[in-house]
Amino acid sequence: MGVRLMVVDDHRLLAEALASALKLRGHRVLAAAAPAAGAADLVVSRAPEVCLYGTGTPAEPGIFDPIVRIKRERPQVAVVVLGPVPSPRGIAAAFAAGASGYVRHDERIEGVERALMKARSGEAAVAPALLQGAFGELLNPAAQPDDEGQRLLQLLTPREVEVLVRVAEGEDTRLIAAGMGIAPSTARTHVQRVLMKLGVGSRLEAAALAARTGLLDRAGPVPAPREAVTELPSDPAPGL
């Protein structure tokens, strides 16, 4: 007997292709929806036996919140996650949210079908190797690498961060000064301090270091240009 199911995925084409393949194998597909994050309403209203929930980012915080809601409002609906591997943290998060199974994205349609049948019958639909990896990661978490980008970001003031972003975007001292509404001499001083704090000898090295460590992604876009400041001579002549 076929499974009455729904297929949701962040990519509509994948959801529809998988739904078509399962229909050809005798299953009743109530709907194929995208994105997965907005499918909870549909699953709650249609109440399928099984929901096949596809995601490419199982370790992202909150990605399985729709499953939590589905299980809270329709506890009889079994949810099988279709996700990438290796992702032991993602697998653990899926089961913590209430999923009944986890299937690899590259699994053959026969494997997906077996997972759906097992989930409908109340069994855990996950390969032993995947489950073992998930529990291993929870019991012996891998040490997180040092976040060099965050460390470097903490060395800089907010204004110096903006200067670094502008340097990475190829702005010279004149453009930095105009964009930040400061004098060119002040802009030069900021650039020199940034180079010193980052331990590099040139603007090119600073830009490369910021890009390699992800510092630019954390810094965000530069603010809109501010009102320019006219630089006055340090010792103006009497009477001016």
Side-chain angles (χ1 to χ4, degrees):
M1 181 179 176
V3 177
R4 185 165 49 84
L5 62 98
M6 285 183 57
V7 180
V8 299
D9 197 287
D10 290 331
H11 302 283
R12 182 172 295 279
L13 288 178
L14 293 179
E16 292 177 349
L18 189 54
S20 296
L22 291 168
K23 282 181 181 179
L24 291 175
R25 300 181 73 85
H27 300 286
R28 182 185 174 192
V29 180
L30 302 180
D41 289 335
L42 196 57
V43 174
V44 169
S45 64
R46 297 288 185 89
E49 293 177 304
V50 180
C51 170
L52 187 58
Y53 183 96
T55 178
T57 56
E60 181 180 325
I63 195 67
F64 295 128
D65 286 351
I67 297 179
V68 174
R69 183 189 163 197
I70 291 169
K71 296 303 294 183
R72 181 177 65 247
E73 299 187 27
R74 293 287 186 179
Q76 74 277 16
V77 176
V79 180
V80 174
V81 173
L82 187 67
V85 173
S87 181
R89 288 186 180 275
I91 296 170
F95 278 93
S100 300
Y102 192 104
V103 182
R104 295 167 30 149
H105 263 145
D106 58 356
E107 182 64 74
R108 296 173 63 87
I109 190 63
E110 293 85 359
V112 175
E113 184 178 39
R114 284 195 297 271
L116 297 176
M117 301 292 286
K118 291 183 69 173
R120 183 179 65 174
S121 65
E123 300 179 53
V126 58
L130 297 185
L131 196 58
Q132 183 178 6
F135 277 110
E137 176 69 18
L138 290 176
L139 294 174
N140 301 290
Q144 295 298 311
D146 292 336
D147 191 338
E148 186 179 5
Q150 182 63 30
R151 180 182 64 81
L152 294 175
L153 192 61
Q154 292 174 348
L155 296 176
L156 306 176
T157 66
R159 177 155 285 197
E160 288 167 350
V161 171
E162 181 178 348
V163 168
L164 177 59
V165 173
R166 292 181 181 276
V167 166
E169 292 183 351
E171 294 186 9
D172 59 17
T173 301
R174 179 181 58 82
L175 288 175
I176 292 173
M180 298 180 65
I182 58 178
S185 62
T186 304
R188 282 192 294 272
T189 299
H190 283 315
V191 171
Q192 292 167 359
R193 286 176 177 170
V194 168
L195 299 183
M196 180 185 66
K197 288 183 177 183
L198 296 183
V200 296
S202 69
R203 298 182 181 214
L204 182 60
E205 289 181 65
L209 177 63
R212 187 181 71 248
T213 60
L215 193 156
L216 294 178
D217 294 332
R218 295 176 182 273
V222 297
R226 302 168 188 150
E227 184 178 353
V229 173
T230 302
E231 184 174 18
L232 298 175
S234 57
D235 187 16
L240 296 182

